[in-house]
Amino acid sequence: MKSQTYESDMAVVVGRYATPLAVLLIGVGILLAQPAGRGRKATVALFVFGILFNAAMIRLIKREGAGHGLIMARLFTNVFVNTIIVYILGPYWPPIWLLLALSPLAAGIYSSRADTLKTAGIVSATLLLIHYFKGGSSAAAWGQQGVQCAFIALISLLVNEVSRLGRPQAPANS
């Protein structure tokens, strides 16, 4: 067993809380929203994949003390899968947008401020594109999307700044 780094420890903590929230959001969305046909099958398949993928990644991170590359691969795989789920479930289950907020929040815990902001920007742009492709047209709907994007960026930066207070400092000669 390799020694754990701060980044690996934080990735495990994120998995402990973010994965159950994702399971709750998606599971309730599937049960209550009832997307039809292939959308339902795709969502269920992605849901199962997400659970298995995240469980395997957390075990690997715990066992191997994973580095930044593996953690970022997990983060962006989740963004990709969550984007598809939000696209499918969004019209039926409005709270599903919170699923996209989880990745920037995770980045805020174990990444730099710049990486957190990049992740929040990617997710926010994704949220806006989903809204555009789903036919969002009213000023109120675009305003809501803008507020959601601001929430994602600001809460992620808040989490990043708070988590940096607890990070071990590198020696001055490093």
Side-chain angles (χ1 to χ4, degrees):
M1 180 170 157
K2 295 184 180 179
S3 65
Q4 293 288 308
T5 65
Y6 177 81
E7 189 176 57
S8 296
D9 290 343
M10 292 301 98
V12 171
V13 169
V14 166
R16 186 176 306 135
Y17 297 99
T19 301
L21 180 55
V23 167
L24 179 67
L25 277 167
I26 299 166
V28 172
I30 291 170
L31 290 173
L32 297 181
Q34 299 286 323
R38 291 188 344 203
R40 182 176 180 82
K41 290 177 186 173
T43 304
V44 170
L46 289 168
F47 179 54
V48 170
F49 168 80
I51 291 170
L52 297 174
F53 173 77
N54 282 288
M57 291 298 283
I58 290 300
R59 274 195 294 278
L60 179 64
I61 290 168
K62 280 182 180 177
R63 189 179 71 235
E64 300 296 327
H68 186 74
L70 185 58
I71 291 169
M72 289 294 107
R74 175 179 176 236
L75 183 123
F76 284 103
T77 299
N78 281 323
V79 168
F80 179 74
V81 169
N82 293 346
T83 297
I84 298 168
I85 291 171
V86 170
Y87 185 83
I88 295 169
L89 283 182
Y92 308 101
W93 183 240
I96 199 68
W97 74 271
L98 289 166
L99 192 59
L100 286 175
L102 294 176
S103 292
L105 284 170
I109 291 171
Y110 48 70
S111 292
S112 68
R113 180 178 171 86
D115 284 347
T116 298
L117 197 53
K118 280 187 244 178
T119 305
I122 290 167
V123 165
S124 293
T126 300
L127 194 59
L128 292 171
L129 285 170
I130 289 170
H131 183 68
Y132 174 78
F133 285 115
K134 287 295 185 175
S137 58
S138 76
W142 280 106
Q144 180 179 342
Q145 294 301 304
V147 170
Q148 290 170 346
C149 291
F151 170 82
I152 289 169
L154 293 171
I155 200 76
S156 299
L157 290 172
L158 170 68
V159 167
N160 179 260
E161 195 162 328
V162 169
S163 76
R164 283 189 296 162
L165 296 173
R167 286 185 189 154
Q169 299 299 313
N173 296 340
S174 307

